[in-house]
Amino acid sequence: MSDKAATLDFEKFHNTIAGKPRDSPKVHNGVNPSDKTKLWDVPIATEHDLDDAVKSAQEAFKRWSKTAWKERQSLLLQLREELLSHRVEMTQMILKECGKPIQFAQGEIDAAAGILQYHATAPPPGEQTIQDDADLKLSLRYVPLGVVGAICPWNFPLILSMQKIVPGLLTGNTVIVKPSPFTPYSALKFVEMAQKYLPPGVLQALNGDDRLGPMMTEHPGIEKISFTGSISTGKRVMMSAAKTLKRVTLELGGNSACIVCPDVDVNKVAPLVALGAFFNSGQLCVASKRLYVHTDIYKEFQEAILNVVKSWKVGPAGEPGMMLGPVQNEMQYNIVKGFFEDCAVNGYQFLLGGEVGDAGGFSVQPAIIDNPPHSSRIVAEEPFGPIVPMMPWTTEEELLTRVNDTRTGLGGAVYCADHERAVNIAKQIEAGTIWINSFERPLPNTFFSGHKESGIGGESGEQGLLAYMNAQAIHLYKSDVGKAPKL
Ligand code: NAD
């Protein structure tokens, strides 16, 4: 453990306001989904705490917004080193707070470090000269917004906080991050460790109860809300932000389709499709939530995917060799259970699974439903858990009608040996990101956004930086004022 690590206590958690830890008279706890034990106390921020954080962020913005891009980048690199120096402790924390098996908990730290790394070298959105002649120089530049409120979900608490914190800070904004009350620990600890490097007020964190999110979206001192979560909450965020015309980025839910063409090597593709559907026990916004497999290979593919999923170990995250950990919280466990019950009541055939299982904690045995009707809940809604429907298709036309018959449009996957055909299918899917011959893996260097009700705006890549900036056009007339036409 490094010297810096020695000063951090991974059993104690605070909010961070104005560079300092802040406790609260009220606390709550996360629950370890692997065994339902209570985790550490976390303070519940009050309205007064939020006001203090906003004041501090506004004050810090004055200098931070003028700090050179390169200097901000060098600080991001230091944050990356700091995070990685605590990889072991942070991995254990994520294993406990999320119920992620160790390799995936480690993967979350590494992906979070990757977001810092990408932004540490990303070029600034440059000033553009639109026109420059004898009379007029017309230029367009981008300026930071002010205080950004980052509201995060529980499925990837560190990665999804980082996706907001890092571009927000790099573009000269100050950021107040609010983790999900289900998984407050990793984000609070990262913000605490960042205080050694950043001026007070530049990056702050507040854990709260159900009232904190609405307080942030209403707060007149916050210029932008970057929100990741469910569609229904996203709509509430937008309505509330409208009162002060805050900028919003909404990264919301999805019901992504995965299309398997008849020309694929079934044994190579089935493990990737299985991962796309069940990675993180299906709790991934862009997970494959509807599988469409060509009728010519339907039976063969079913056998192959069953062999893959049956070989996985499912249960408490800490046990060796675990592949699928539990669902993260009781509320989500009950939602997922509801999908199992709906399929059973309606007599849909379980190709795999059928019982939620009793492997301990909120573990759910993965299930595949064989060809349920297009109108069934399991096809039409997002379960956000390890249960997925599989349906056959014959022509691209009827397939794409079914695929696009949804108000969501987050992601999609196409497996096809013929790349031209794959791209042609991908372009007809109404969604923000399509993966071809890969399971769904967002990357920090390209824009990630939802179509339809899956979101407004987006994150990552160059376009993601612009989401944290206002445009400013400057019209410089070079001829002197005396030459201006008389009005
Ligand atoms: P959620 O909407 O319940 O909560 C998300 C966050 O919003 C939490 O921090 C919560 O405390 C806060 N919140 C709740 N009510 C609020 C309000 N009225 N105003 C402001 N904030 C409020 O979502 P969740 O259950 O944490 O996450 C699961 C959902 O998120 C799924 O639908 C999933 O698809 C989606 N998701 C989307 C992406 C993406 O990038 N598009 C990524 C991950 C998860």
Coordinates of all heavy atoms in Angstrom, one line a residue, residues 151-156 160 163 178-182 209-210 212-214 217 227-234 236-237 250-254 284-286 289 329 331-332 382 384 410 448 454 459, ligand 1:
I151 N -25.8 12.9 -11.3 CA -26.7 12.0 -10.6 C -26.6 10.6 -11.2 O -26.8 10.4 -12.4 CB -28.1 12.5 -10.6 CG1 -28.2 13.9 -10.0 CG2 -29.1 11.5 -9.9 CD1 -29.6 14.5 -10.0
C152 N -26.2 9.6 -10.3 CA -25.7 8.3 -10.9 C -26.6 7.1 -10.4 O -27.1 7.2 -9.3 CB -24.3 8.1 -10.4 SG -23.2 9.5 -10.8
P153 N -26.6 6.0 -11.2 CA -27.3 4.8 -10.8 C -26.4 3.9 -10.0 O -25.2 4.2 -9.7 CB -27.7 4.2 -12.1 CG -26.5 4.6 -13.0 CD -26.0 5.9 -12.5
W154 N -26.9 2.7 -9.8 CA -26.2 1.7 -8.9 C -25.5 0.6 -9.7 O -24.8 -0.2 -9.1 CB -27.1 1.1 -7.9 CG -28.4 0.6 -8.4 CD1 -29.6 1.3 -8.3 CD2 -28.7 -0.6 -9.2 NE1 -30.6 0.6 -9.0 CE2 -30.1 -0.6 -9.5 CE3 -27.9 -1.6 -9.6 CZ2 -30.7 -1.6 -10.2 CZ3 -28.5 -2.7 -10.3 CH2 -29.9 -2.6 -10.6
N155 N -25.7 0.5 -11.0 CA -25.2 -0.7 -11.6 C -23.7 -0.7 -11.9 O -23.0 -1.7 -11.8 CB -26.0 -1.1 -12.9 CG -26.0 0.0 -13.9 OD1 -25.8 1.2 -13.6 ND2 -26.1 -0.4 -15.2
F156 N -23.1 0.5 -12.2 CA -21.7 0.7 -12.3 C -21.3 2.0 -11.6 O -21.1 3.0 -12.2 CB -21.2 0.7 -13.8 CG -21.3 -0.6 -14.5 CD1 -22.5 -1.0 -15.1 CD2 -20.2 -1.5 -14.5 CE1 -22.6 -2.3 -15.7 CE2 -20.3 -2.7 -15.1 CZ -21.5 -3.1 -15.7
L160 N -19.8 5.0 -14.0 CA -20.8 5.9 -14.4 C -20.7 7.3 -13.7 O -21.0 8.3 -14.3 CB -22.2 5.3 -14.3 CG -22.4 4.1 -15.2 CD1 -23.8 3.5 -14.9 CD2 -22.3 4.4 -16.6
Q163 N -17.7 8.9 -15.7 CA -18.1 9.3 -17.0 C -18.7 10.7 -17.0 O -18.7 11.4 -18.0 CB -19.2 8.4 -17.6 CG -18.7 7.7 -18.8 CD -19.7 6.6 -19.2 OE1 -20.9 6.7 -19.1 NE2 -19.1 5.5 -19.8
K178 N -23.6 12.9 -7.0 CA -24.6 12.2 -6.1 C -24.7 10.7 -6.5 O -25.3 10.4 -7.5 CB -26.0 12.8 -6.2 CG -26.9 12.2 -5.1 CD -28.4 12.5 -5.5 CE -29.1 11.3 -6.0 NZ -29.0 10.0 -5.3
P179 N -24.0 9.8 -5.8 CA -24.2 8.4 -6.1 C -25.6 7.9 -5.7 O -26.3 8.5 -5.0 CB -23.1 7.7 -5.3 CG -22.8 8.7 -4.1 CD -23.2 10.0 -4.6
S180 N -25.9 6.7 -6.2 CA -27.1 6.1 -5.8 C -27.0 5.7 -4.4 O -26.0 5.2 -3.9 CB -27.4 4.8 -6.7 OG -28.4 4.0 -6.0
P181 N -28.1 5.9 -3.6 CA -28.1 5.5 -2.2 C -27.8 3.9 -2.0 O -27.4 3.5 -1.0 CB -29.4 5.8 -1.6 CG -30.2 6.5 -2.7 CD -29.4 6.5 -4.0
F182 N -28.1 3.2 -3.1 CA -27.8 1.7 -3.0 C -26.3 1.4 -3.0 O -25.8 0.4 -2.5 CB -28.4 1.0 -4.2 CG -29.9 0.9 -4.1 CD1 -30.7 1.5 -5.1 CD2 -30.5 0.2 -3.0 CE1 -32.1 1.4 -5.0 CE2 -31.9 0.1 -3.0 CZ -32.7 0.7 -4.0
D209 N -30.8 10.8 0.7 CA -31.9 10.0 0.5 C -32.7 10.4 -0.7 O -32.2 11.1 -1.6 CB -32.8 10.0 1.8 CG -33.2 11.4 2.2 OD1 -33.2 12.3 1.3 OD2 -33.6 11.6 3.3
D210 N -34.0 10.0 -0.8 CA -34.8 10.3 -2.0 C -34.9 11.8 -2.3 O -35.3 12.2 -3.4 CB -36.2 9.7 -1.9 CG -36.1 8.2 -2.0 OD1 -35.0 7.7 -2.4 OD2 -37.1 7.5 -1.7
L212 N -32.5 14.2 -2.1 CA -31.4 14.9 -2.6 C -31.4 15.1 -4.1 O -31.1 16.2 -4.6 CB -30.1 14.2 -2.2 CG -28.8 14.9 -2.6 CD1 -28.7 16.3 -2.0 CD2 -27.6 14.1 -2.2
G213 N -31.8 14.1 -4.9 CA -31.8 14.3 -6.4 C -32.7 15.4 -6.8 O -32.3 16.4 -7.5
P214 N -34.0 15.4 -6.3 CA -34.9 16.6 -6.6 C -34.3 17.9 -6.1 O -34.5 18.9 -6.8 CB -36.2 16.2 -5.9 CG -36.2 14.7 -5.8 CD -34.7 14.3 -5.7
T217 N -31.8 19.0 -8.8 CA -32.4 19.4 -10.1 C -33.1 20.7 -10.0 O -33.3 21.4 -10.9 CB -33.4 18.3 -10.6 OG1 -34.4 18.1 -9.7 CG2 -32.7 17.0 -10.9
F227 N -27.5 13.1 -15.8 CA -28.2 12.1 -15.1 C -28.1 10.7 -15.8 O -28.3 10.7 -17.0 CB -29.7 12.5 -15.0 CG -30.6 11.4 -14.5 CD1 -30.7 11.2 -13.1 CD2 -31.2 10.5 -15.4 CE1 -31.6 10.2 -12.6 CE2 -32.0 9.5 -14.9 CZ -32.2 9.3 -13.5
T228 N -27.8 9.7 -15.1 CA -27.9 8.3 -15.7 C -28.9 7.5 -14.7 O -28.7 7.5 -13.5 CB -26.6 7.6 -15.7 OG1 -25.7 8.4 -16.6 CG2 -26.7 6.2 -16.3
G229 N -29.9 6.9 -15.3 CA -30.8 6.1 -14.5 C -32.0 5.7 -15.4 O -31.9 5.6 -16.6
S230 N -33.1 5.5 -14.7 CA -34.3 4.9 -15.4 C -35.0 6.0 -16.2 O -34.9 7.2 -16.0 CB -35.2 4.3 -14.4 OG -35.7 5.3 -13.5
I231 N -35.8 5.6 -17.2 CA -36.5 6.5 -18.1 C -37.5 7.3 -17.2 O -37.6 8.5 -17.4 CB -37.3 5.7 -19.2 CG1 -36.2 5.1 -20.1 CG2 -38.2 6.6 -19.9 CD1 -36.8 4.2 -21.2
S232 N -38.2 6.6 -16.3 CA -39.2 7.4 -15.5 C -38.6 8.5 -14.7 O -39.1 9.6 -14.6 CB -40.0 6.4 -14.7 OG -39.2 5.7 -13.9
T233 N -37.4 8.2 -14.0 CA -36.8 9.2 -13.3 C -36.2 10.3 -14.2 O -36.3 11.5 -13.9 CB -35.6 8.7 -12.4 OG1 -36.1 7.5 -11.7 CG2 -35.1 9.7 -11.4
G234 N -35.7 9.9 -15.3 CA -35.1 10.9 -16.3 C -36.2 11.9 -16.7 O -35.9 13.1 -16.8
R236 N -38.7 12.9 -14.8 CA -38.9 13.8 -13.7 C -37.7 14.8 -13.6 O -37.9 16.0 -13.3 CB -38.9 13.0 -12.4 CG -40.3 12.3 -12.2 CD -40.5 11.9 -10.7 NE -39.7 10.7 -10.4 CZ -40.1 9.5 -10.7 NH1 -41.3 9.3 -11.3 NH2 -39.4 8.5 -10.3
V237 N -36.5 14.3 -13.9 CA -35.3 15.2 -13.9 C -35.5 16.3 -14.9 O -35.3 17.5 -14.6 CB -34.0 14.4 -14.2 CG1 -32.9 15.3 -14.5 CG2 -33.7 13.5 -13.0
L250 N -29.3 13.1 -20.4 CA -30.1 12.0 -19.8 C -29.6 10.7 -20.4 O -29.8 10.6 -21.7 CB -31.6 12.2 -20.0 CG -32.2 13.5 -19.4 CD1 -33.7 13.6 -19.7 CD2 -32.0 13.6 -17.9
E251 N -29.0 9.9 -19.7 CA -28.6 8.5 -20.1 C -29.6 7.5 -19.5 O -29.5 7.3 -18.3 CB -27.2 8.2 -19.7 CG -26.1 9.1 -20.3 CD -25.7 8.7 -21.7 OE1 -26.4 7.9 -22.3 OE2 -24.7 9.2 -22.2
L252 N -30.5 7.0 -20.2 CA -31.6 6.3 -19.6 C -31.6 4.8 -20.0 O -30.7 4.3 -20.6 CB -32.9 7.0 -20.0 CG -32.9 8.5 -19.7 CD1 -34.2 9.1 -20.1 CD2 -32.6 8.8 -18.2
G253 N -32.7 4.2 -19.7 CA -32.8 2.7 -19.9 C -33.0 2.3 -21.4 O -33.1 3.2 -22.2
G254 N -32.9 1.0 -21.6 CA -33.0 0.6 -23.0 C -33.6 -0.8 -23.0 O -33.9 -1.4 -22.0
L284 N -26.9 -4.1 -17.1 CA -26.1 -3.2 -17.9 C -27.1 -2.5 -18.8 O -28.0 -3.2 -19.4 CB -25.1 -4.0 -18.7 CG -24.3 -3.3 -19.8 CD1 -23.3 -2.4 -19.2 CD2 -23.6 -4.3 -20.7
C285 N -27.0 -1.2 -18.9 CA -28.0 -0.4 -19.7 C -28.1 -0.9 -21.1 O -29.2 -1.0 -21.7 CB -27.8 1.1 -19.7 SG -26.1 1.5 -20.2
V286 N -26.9 -1.3 -21.7 CA -27.0 -1.7 -23.2 C -26.9 -3.2 -23.3 O -26.7 -3.7 -24.4 CB -25.8 -1.1 -24.0 CG1 -26.0 0.4 -24.3 CG2 -24.5 -1.3 -23.3
K289 N -31.2 -7.3 -24.5 CA -32.4 -7.7 -23.7 C -33.4 -8.4 -24.5 O -34.5 -8.8 -24.0 CB -33.0 -6.4 -23.0 CG -32.0 -5.9 -21.9 CD -32.3 -4.5 -21.4 CE -31.1 -4.1 -20.5 NZ -30.9 -2.7 -20.3
N329 N -29.8 -5.1 -5.6 CA -30.6 -4.7 -4.4 C -32.0 -5.3 -4.4 O -32.4 -5.9 -5.4 CB -30.8 -3.1 -4.4 CG -31.4 -2.6 -5.6 OD1 -32.6 -2.8 -5.8 ND2 -30.6 -1.9 -6.5
M331 N -35.0 -4.1 -4.2 CA -36.0 -3.6 -5.1 C -35.9 -4.2 -6.5 O -36.9 -4.7 -7.1 CB -35.8 -2.0 -5.2 CG -36.8 -1.3 -6.1 SD -36.1 0.3 -6.6 CE -34.8 -0.2 -7.7
Q332 N -34.7 -4.2 -7.0 CA -34.4 -4.8 -8.3 C -34.7 -6.3 -8.4 O -35.2 -6.8 -9.3 CB -33.0 -4.5 -8.8 CG -32.7 -4.7 -10.3 CD -33.7 -3.9 -11.2 OE1 -34.0 -2.8 -10.8 NE2 -34.1 -4.5 -12.3
E382 N -37.9 -3.6 -20.0 CA -36.5 -3.9 -19.6 C -36.5 -4.5 -18.2 O -36.8 -3.9 -17.2 CB -35.7 -2.5 -19.5 CG -34.3 -2.6 -19.0 CD -33.7 -1.3 -18.6 OE1 -34.4 -0.4 -17.9 OE2 -32.6 -1.0 -18.9
F384 N -33.7 -5.7 -16.5 CA -32.5 -5.3 -15.8 C -32.1 -6.4 -14.8 O -31.9 -6.1 -13.7 CB -32.7 -3.9 -15.1 CG -31.5 -3.1 -15.2 CD1 -30.9 -2.7 -16.4 CD2 -30.9 -2.6 -14.0 CE1 -29.8 -1.9 -16.5 CE2 -29.8 -1.8 -14.1 CZ -29.2 -1.4 -15.3
L410 N -31.4 2.5 -27.1 CA -30.1 2.8 -26.5 C -29.0 2.0 -27.3 O -28.0 2.6 -27.8 CB -30.1 2.3 -25.1 CG -28.9 2.8 -24.2 CD1 -28.8 4.3 -24.2 CD2 -29.0 2.2 -22.8
F448 N -21.7 8.3 -26.7 CA -22.6 7.3 -26.2 C -23.9 8.0 -25.9 O -24.0 8.9 -25.1 CB -22.1 6.6 -25.0 CG -23.0 5.5 -24.5 CD1 -23.0 4.3 -25.0 CD2 -23.8 5.8 -23.4 CE1 -23.8 3.3 -24.5 CE2 -24.6 4.8 -22.9 CZ -24.6 3.5 -23.5
S454 N -34.6 6.7 -24.7 CA -33.4 6.2 -24.0 C -32.5 7.4 -23.6 O -31.4 7.2 -23.0 CB -32.6 5.2 -24.8 OG -33.3 4.0 -24.8
E459 N -22.8 11.1 -23.7 CA -21.5 11.3 -23.0 C -20.4 10.6 -23.8 O -20.7 9.8 -24.7 CB -21.6 10.5 -21.7 CG -22.5 11.2 -20.6 CD -22.6 10.5 -19.3 OE1 -22.5 9.2 -19.4 OE2 -22.8 11.1 -18.3
Ligands
NAD1 P1 -33.1 5.4 -10.9 O1 -33.6 6.3 -12.0 O2 -34.0 4.8 -10.0 O3 -32.0 6.3 -10.1 C1 -30.9 6.9 -10.7 C2 -30.4 8.0 -9.7 O4 -31.4 9.0 -9.7 C3 -30.2 7.6 -8.3 O5 -29.0 8.3 -7.8 C4 -31.4 8.1 -7.6 O6 -31.2 8.4 -6.2 C5 -31.7 9.4 -8.3 N1 -33.1 9.9 -8.3 C6 -34.2 9.2 -8.0 N2 -35.3 10.0 -8.1 C7 -34.9 11.2 -8.5 C8 -35.5 12.4 -8.8 N3 -36.8 12.6 -8.8 N4 -34.7 13.5 -9.2 C9 -33.4 13.3 -9.3 N5 -32.7 12.2 -9.0 C10 -33.4 11.1 -8.6 O7 -32.2 4.4 -11.8 P2 -31.4 3.1 -11.2 O8 -32.4 2.1 -10.7 O9 -30.4 3.6 -10.2 O10 -30.7 2.6 -12.5 C11 -31.2 1.6 -13.4 C12 -31.6 2.2 -14.6 O11 -30.6 3.1 -15.2 C13 -32.0 1.2 -15.7 O12 -33.1 1.6 -16.4 C14 -30.8 1.3 -16.7 O13 -31.1 0.9 -18.0 C15 -30.4 2.8 -16.6 N6 -29.0 3.0 -16.9 C16 -28.8 3.7 -18.1 C17 -27.5 3.9 -18.5 C18 -27.1 4.7 -19.7 O14 -26.0 5.1 -19.9 N7 -28.1 5.0 -20.6 C19 -26.4 3.4 -17.7 C20 -26.7 2.7 -16.6 C21 -28.1 2.5 -16.2

